[in-house]
């Protein structure tokens, strides 16, 4: 009875299209699940996301789950995840993508899942890191430990969405620090982020992680910006 009353006054809507969710739907409606633009990058080692890092930084594997288009379903999902506290979006997408990634051989060698970090001031403002739920879902499904203590954001800056192209590409490696010990040497880290755009943030995070002797880095983003 109470649940029905809550649903009456606070109806659940799809985070992709804002349509009312049916009783058997959760967070994302069936129509949006069918229309959501999957990249299928994980099936091609030299996919479009991997090529973003050619000649820039050594990475073992790169993939993004979804294509990000302005005013599309994915933009709505990422916005709700990042700014409206709907971390369940990250959980659902992480569990969904883990089913595909589990079939990729390289994932059997990954030791830790590392989220792109927020500066402690930004984390306090937002209350959560928007990629944590995605990473934790991958962690549970793939049985790979989630570790948000190795990589840290050392410089506070305005959010990526408020930066122009020049500002996005001017981020420095010094913006990120690593804290590690001897047990972290020679590990394979999966670095995760919400949206891959220029690749600068992920490149600088990778450079920081490569300060760990014999480290190997792979990258997965929820989405990649696409024309």
């Amino acid at each position: 009875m109470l649940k029905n009353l809550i649903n009456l006054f606070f109806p659940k809507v799809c985070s992709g299209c804002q349509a009312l969710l049916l009783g058997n739907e959760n967070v994302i409606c069936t129509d949006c699940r069918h229309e959501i633009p999957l990249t299928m990058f994980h099936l091609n080692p030299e996919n479009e996301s991997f090529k973003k890092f050619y000649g820039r930084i050594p990475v073992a594997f790169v993939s993004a789950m979804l294509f990000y288009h302005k005013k599309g379903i994915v933009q709505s999902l990422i916005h709700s995840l990042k700014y409206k506290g709907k971390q369940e979006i990250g959980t659902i997408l992480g569990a969904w993508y883990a089913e595909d990634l589990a079939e990729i051989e390289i994932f059997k060698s990954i030791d830790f899942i590392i989220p792109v970090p927020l500066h402690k001031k930004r984390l306090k403002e937002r209350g959560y890191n928007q990629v944590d739920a995605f990473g934790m879902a991958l962690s549970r499904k793939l049985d790979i430990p989630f570790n948000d203590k190795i990589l840290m954001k050392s410089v506070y800056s305005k959010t990526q969405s408020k930066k122009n192209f020049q500002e996005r590409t001017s981020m420095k490696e010094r913006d990120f620090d690593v804290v590690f010990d001897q047990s972290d040497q020679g590990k394979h880290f999966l670095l995760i982020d919400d949206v891959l755009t220029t690749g600068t943030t992920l490149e600088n995070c990778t450079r920081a992680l490569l300060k760990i002797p014999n480290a190997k880095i792979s990258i997965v983003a929820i989405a990649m910006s696409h024309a």
Side-chain angles (χ1 to χ4, degrees):
M1 177 67 75
L2 179 59
K3 183 178 180 180
N4 290 336
L5 284 173
I6 292 174
N7 289 338
L8 176 63
F9 291 103
F10 302 98
K12 294 181 179 180
V13 298
C14 172
S15 294
C17 67
Q18 307 307 308
L20 288 175
L21 291 173
L22 301 178
N24 62 338
E25 295 175 335
N26 184 29
V27 183
I28 305 172
C29 72
T30 302
D31 286 344
C32 282
R33 281 179 176 264
H34 288 157
E35 294 179 13
I36 203 165
L38 299 170
T39 68
M40 307 306 290
F41 283 166
H42 61 283
L43 299 177
N44 176 15
E46 296 195 1
N47 63 70
E48 190 176 339
S49 62
F50 182 82
K51 291 178 180 178
K52 277 184 174 285
F53 298 93
Y54 274 170
R56 295 169 61 177
I57 201 77
V59 287
F61 174 90
V62 184
S63 188
M65 180 181 181
L66 310 170
F67 283 119
Y68 180 101
H69 300 103
K70 288 186 176 180
K71 298 183 180 180
I73 294 170
V74 177
Q75 183 188 43
S76 181
L77 291 174
I78 296 294
H79 183 83
S80 293
L81 169 64
K82 193 169 184 176
Y83 299 112
K84 296 185 178 180
K86 294 189 176 181
Q87 297 181 68
E88 61 270 24
I89 294 171
T91 300
I92 284 179
L93 293 178
W96 183 359
Y97 205 33
E99 295 180 7
D100 292 330
L101 299 179
E103 304 298 320
I104 307 302
E105 185 66 24
I106 199 169
F107 278 79
K108 296 177 182 177
S109 70
I110 291 174
D111 297 291
F112 292 107
I113 295 172
I114 309 291
V116 167
L118 297 180
H119 187 272
K120 59 183 179 181
K121 182 178 178 181
R122 175 76 64 212
L123 185 61
K124 185 176 181 180
E125 290 170 350
R126 188 169 295 164
Y128 63 98
N129 184 334
Q130 68 272 12
V131 298
D132 280 0
F134 179 75
M136 290 176 185
L138 291 178
S139 173
R140 287 190 295 270
K141 293 289 185 177
L142 298 173
D143 195 26
I144 301 171
F146 179 86
N147 190 323
D148 61 356
K149 306 301 181 185
I150 291 177
L151 184 64
M152 297 181 298
K153 181 76 183 295
S154 53
V155 176
Y156 179 81
S157 59
K158 59 186 176 182
T159 61
Q160 286 286 85
S161 62
K162 295 180 181 179
K163 293 178 181 178
N164 59 35
F165 178 81
Q166 185 176 3
E167 290 173 322
R168 291 186 187 194
T169 54
S170 66
M171 291 179 66
K172 304 296 183 183
E173 179 185 338
R174 64 177 172 76
D175 287 355
F176 300 94
D177 290 328
V178 287
V179 177
F180 65 95
D181 57 33
Q182 190 172 1
S183 67
D184 297 312
Q185 297 183 21
K187 300 297 186 183
H188 185 179
F189 301 104
L190 177 65
L191 181 64
I192 61 168
D193 202 4
D194 52 1
V195 181
L196 168 58
T197 51
T198 64
T200 302
T201 298
L202 287 162
E203 178 183 349
N204 289 324
C205 285
T206 297
R207 290 187 186 279
L209 287 170
L210 287 174
K211 293 176 183 176
I212 303 172
N214 301 311
K216 182 178 180 180
I217 314 298
S218 290
I219 293 171
V220 164
I222 297 175
M224 189 182 82
S225 184
H226 196 255

